[in-house]
Amino acid sequence: MPIVKVNSRIRVPLVLMCFMLSCASVAVAQVAPQPRPSPAPPPGPVEGTIRNPDGSPLTTFEEEMRAKRAIAVAEKDHEENLKRAREIAQIGKELNDSLKDKPVLDHDSLKKVERLEKLTKKVRGEAGGEDEEVEIPNRPSDLPATLAQIAEASESLSKNVINTPRQVVSASVIGKANVLLELIKLARNFAHP
């Protein structure tokens, strides 16, 4: 096998180059890393968009499910309101009929008056109404006349609620509910002079 001689002139620059590379790599390792720019914050919610709790926008499927749930809840609330309206008409009729047997309101009749008031306030609230001052035409002067008007107002309110679509806010329902509540106050005044 032949022996190859390496020229000493080549060896020195090679050693020098290796030394310089190692020094450069040590110097680079000691330099502090530059902070990376933080990612841009996610864009704020667009007006009217719904987001998940983590801030991400809802997918189409999630939006559909949320909309279906909202519709189901609204339909359930509307059905409950219709039940209240039917019960209001029934209680108004029962109160008027109970006075035919006795000229005063007994304990059971007063409980019905309280229930009627509670239901009427709930129906008015569902319609978006609040307590208002109401002027009653042909203001009754005694308990029998008051209960007769309560029966009429209850029936009228009930029909109005039943005939009003779910998505509609009815000023008529609010007005009739306020009239009925005023008549209930009158009935209490006549019952407890």
Side-chain angles (χ1 to χ4, degrees), residues 9 16 77 121 130 134 139 144 154 180:
R9 276 192 202 171
L16 187 58
D77 290 346
K121 285 181 178 180
E130 296 178 350
V134 177
R139 192 173 185 88
S154 297
L180 182 55

Side-chain angles (χ1 to χ4, degrees), residues 98-168:
S98 72
L99 195 62
K100 292 177 183 173
D101 298 334
K102 43 193 171 273
V104 294
L105 291 177
D106 59 0
H107 180 70
D108 289 337
S109 296
L110 286 174
K111 287 231 179 246
K112 287 181 182 181
V113 168
E114 288 175 16
R115 177 74 178 153
L116 181 62
E117 181 179 33
K118 181 180 178 183
L119 291 169
T120 305
K121 285 181 178 180
K122 188 73 173 170
V123 165
R124 181 186 64 190
E126 288 291 319
E130 296 178 350
D131 201 15
E132 297 174 5
E133 256 186 65
V134 177
E135 187 61 39
I136 299 175
N138 302 327
R139 192 173 185 88
S141 58
D142 60 0
L143 185 59
T146 304
L147 290 180
Q149 282 193 12
I150 284 176
E152 290 172 19
S154 297
E155 183 67 28
S156 177
L157 175 61
S158 177
K159 285 179 181 177
N160 205 324
V161 169
I162 290 169
N163 293 330
T164 302
R166 176 175 54 93
Q167 301 92 343
V168 174

